[in-house]
Structure formats: C-alpha cells, structure tokens
Amino acid sequence: MSKPQITSEIKPRPRVAAMPEYHPPLGNRDHLRLDFNENTLACSPQVKAVLDNISATDLTRYPERGPVEALVAEHLGLAADQVILTNGVDEAIHVLCQAFLDVDDELLLPVPTYTMYEIYASSTDARLVKVQADADFKFPFEKLLAAITPKTKLIAIANPNSPTGSIATREQILAIANAAPNALVLVDEAYFHFYGETVMDLVGKVPNLIVARTFSKAYGLASLRIGLLAGNAAHLRWIRRVLSPYSVNMIALTCLTAAIRDQSYLDWYVDEVTQARVEFLAGLTRIGLQYWPTEANFVLVNIGGAHKQFVADLLGEGILVRDRSADPGCDGCVRITIGTRDQMRIALDVIERSMTGISMTRI
C-alpha cells in the first residue's frame, strides 16, 4: 500500500514570505579575508589564554550576562541598566525591530547601508522608507530630515556606514534626534574604532538615542558573536523582554572580559589598520582607481563593468573581496577590507595586475 502524498504546506506570515533573503558568501575562508571587514590577524593574546583555560565543566553551565554587562557598562562610562549584550549586532537590530516596530510605523533608512536593517525590519508590519545617498555617497542628512514624519518610529544610521565608509557628524545625529523625538535613533558604531568619533557619551542625555557596538571587528571576536546596545534604561527594558536570556554564550562572555581589558592590543591593531589605510588608498590613487573617502577598515572601489572579473582575479590569487554592485547606487563597486600593512601590500600588487589585465582585454 502506497503512502498518501502530502500536498499541503503550512505558510509563514505574509511579511516573512516577502522578506529579502541574505546569503553570505561561503567557502575559501582560509584565503586573505578582505571581504567581511573582520580583524584580519588575530584576537588579543589574552583572549586566546582565556580560551585555552576553559574547562569541560565550564561548558555545563548556563551563561550569566549580567556581571559582564556591568563590566562593559563601566568600560563605556555608563550604568549597568543602560547596556545590553547581544548575540552580535544582528541580534541587537532584530530585537530592536521586534520591540518597537508595529503596524503603520516607519523605519527610516539611508541607503546603501548594512543589509540586515532592511531584513529584520521587513519581518515586522512596519513600512521601510529608504533615503538614497547621492553619487558621492555622503550621508544624506537633508534628505533624511525631510523624510521624517509622525509615523517615523526608528531611524538606523550606520556610522561609519557600510559599504561606503561615509560618516554622519555628531551635529547631524543630534539634529535628527531632535527632529524625531517620537522615534528611536539607532547609531550603529560597528566600525567606531577606525573612526574615533562616537556619540556613546550622549546615551542617557539624548532620550531617543540608542548606540550599537560590535566586538566582531577591531576586537577580532567575530566567531563568538557578541555585540551590544546602549541606551535609555526605559527603552532597553522592552528590548530585554523580547531578548533570550541566554543568547550570548559563556565562552563569548568570558572572552569579552579579557578583550576589553587588553586595551594595548586593541590600540595596536587599530593603529596598524589606520596606517595601512593611508598607504593602501595612496596605492589605489596611483593605480588610477576611483574610491570613496572612508573612515572605516574598508574602502568602496569603483571597478566598473569588470567588477566580476576583478573579484575572480583576486580569488584566483587567494584574496577575498566583496562585490557590492547589487547595493543601491553601487553598480560596478567592490568593497575591500583593510588589514595590516603587509597584507594590503600583497593585495595592492594583485589588484594592480588584475587591473592591467582588465585594461588589456579592453584594447
């Protein structure tokens, strides 16, 4: 007797079915990783020492984020109830959208920018309002101000922005927060260390300001998935309600404590990358490639119609870079992470050979 054929399918919510999908590039991750804006070298030696001493018994216990949140808050000059640790900034964005975006609300989003703002917002019943940057990719301040309405509930500003490396000034952020008192203004400072300017000191002073940070970039803890939200304690209360109490694991919490105590290693790595950035951008200028000013550990480069060939050329030489041509206004653009000076000298040599080959095929 044959089994009955199952033809029915349980459908997701319409908003989920309509969500854009994110497919990160996978494979070949042992190459020179200039595609995800990670730390391209290593985490702090103190973090490695902690990892080496984690016992089998340690793994049997549920994690406790509270004590580490208090330590991180003190490190940032904030009160413990003004900081939430999350499973990367991705979870921070997700729970922020879940806690505050409802039917008829609007998320205001300057584009191009980090993809996950749109993805997580699209799972809610809010409306996404995109504000396109001009061809120079400068922060579209005036356009954003003009787009604020009584329905604006959340404004997401990556600062510095990915994939462009552009920044919003402190004055612009304050003006936006003042113009939208009934909306939360998320300032995502994932790349803060390579820029040096922050609005973290305004947390608690500007009531509708929320700041995100990650430990995946400069700190080199991307695999541990740990980030944070800092903001008005009254707002964070509702975020805690939708946040899993165990979403940040014990290994991440233990390593984070070591990472923030090793300031000298962090300072060394950031200094190395910022020096490499100056040298690498000068090299791109010498080659004749157009790029946009950046305050992050990456640069957006205009390769043009040969962008796919360029990415393939570098992959063939063991270097991963990120094609961003599908981003709004970024046709022909490739984003390149900036690592150490030695790494970027290797990359620049390969880039120059690739562009020479591409130029030859056009003759």
Side-chain angles (χ1 to χ4, degrees):
M1 183 177 177
S2 62
K3 293 182 180 180
Q5 190 174 16
I6 299 174
T7 58
S8 64
E9 180 183 351
I10 299 174
K11 302 289 186 182
R13 292 189 298 113
R15 292 303 296 262
V16 173
M19 284 175 62
E21 294 185 31
Y22 177 71
H23 299 285
L26 301 174
N28 301 311
R29 297 295 289 152
D30 291 330
H31 292 350
L32 177 52
R33 298 173 288 107
L34 305 184
D35 55 339
F36 272 84
N37 305 335
E38 303 152 315
N39 179 311
T40 60
L41 200 60
C43 64
S44 157
Q46 292 189 28
V47 171
K48 181 61 168 62
V50 167
L51 284 169
D52 290 342
N53 286 288
I54 289 175
S55 70
T57 301
D58 290 332
L59 300 181
T60 67
R61 305 182 182 120
Y62 280 103
E64 295 183 20
R65 59 156 48 94
V68 184
E69 282 180 345
L71 183 68
V72 172
E74 182 182 9
H75 178 72
L76 296 173
L78 300 173
D81 60 0
Q82 292 178 308
V83 172
I84 291 177
L85 292 176
T86 58
N87 190 264
V89 171
D90 280 3
E91 186 187 40
I93 299 166
H94 189 191
V95 295
L96 189 62
C97 290
Q98 291 298 313
F100 290 103
L101 291 181
D102 206 348
V103 179
D104 293 330
D105 289 339
E106 293 179 349
L107 166 65
L108 208 51
L109 191 63
V111 294
T113 193
Y114 184 47
T115 307
M116 302 310 294
Y117 303 129
E118 177 177 356
I119 288 178
Y120 288 131
S122 65
S123 71
T124 73
D125 291 317
R127 188 169 80 91
L128 182 65
V129 179
K130 297 181 181 180
V131 179
Q132 178 68 47
D134 292 332
D136 61 6
F137 288 134
K138 288 183 179 179
F139 180 64
F141 173 61
E142 297 293 345
K143 288 184 184 178
L144 195 66
L145 277 181
I148 294 171
T149 74
K151 292 185 177 182
T152 304
K153 189 66 171 292
L154 178 62
I155 303 170
I157 302 169
N159 201 43
N161 184 45
S162 178
T164 63
S166 62
I167 55 97
T169 67
R170 183 184 183 92
E171 292 72 25
Q172 289 172 335
I173 292 168
L174 281 169
I176 290 166
N178 289 331
N182 297 317
L184 290 174
V185 178
L186 170 66
V187 180
D188 184 348
E189 296 186 343
Y191 303 101
F192 148 74
H193 297 94
F194 308 102
Y195 173 39
E197 301 291 331
T198 181
V199 292
M200 187 67 77
D201 60 298
L202 298 177
V203 167
K205 300 172 185 174
V206 178
N208 56 337
L209 177 69
I210 289 189
V211 179
R213 290 270 183 93
T214 183
F215 298 93
S216 296
K217 310 301 182 183
Y219 283 95
L221 303 181
S223 286
L224 295 182
R225 310 306 304 127
I226 188 160
L228 67 84
L229 285 174
N232 188 320
H235 295 142
L236 296 195
R237 170 193 174 195
W238 303 115
I239 293 172
R240 291 183 195 279
R241 186 165 290 191
V242 297
L243 179 69
S244 165
Y246 305 121
S247 62
V248 182
N249 68 75
M250 180 278 294
I251 296 175
L253 292 170
T254 306
C255 288
L256 177 58
T257 301
I260 63 174
R261 286 175 174 159
D262 194 356
Q263 188 65 39
S264 61
Y265 180 81
L266 178 69
D267 291 343
W268 173 83
Y269 182 75
V270 170
D271 182 64
E272 176 65 25
V273 170
T274 52
Q275 289 189 58
R277 182 172 65 193
V278 172
E279 185 178 302
F280 183 65
L281 297 184
L284 294 179
T285 299
R286 177 178 56 80
I287 294 171
L289 282 171
Q290 179 195 12
Y291 61 88
W292 285 267
T294 178
E295 296 289 347
N297 66 329
F298 56 84
V299 59
L300 190 67
V301 184
N302 184 12
I303 304 299
H307 58 95
K308 290 184 179 179
Q309 181 60 50
F310 177 83
V311 172
D313 286 349
L314 269 63
L315 178 59
E317 296 283 350
I319 300 173
L320 301 170
V321 294
R322 193 75 177 271
D323 193 333
R324 304 303 312 197
S325 287
D327 288 24
C330 294
D331 187 36
C333 292
V334 173
R335 191 190 66 196
I336 303 172
T337 300
I338 297 172
T340 66
R341 282 172 287 183
D342 286 345
Q343 290 171 336
M344 301 319 293
R345 288 164 187 164
I346 293 169
L348 194 63
D349 181 62
V350 175
I351 289 169
E352 187 165 14
R353 284 191 274 117
S354 172
M355 293 309 300
T356 298
I358 288 169
S359 297
M360 292 296 292
T361 60
R362 291 172 176 170
I363 297 176

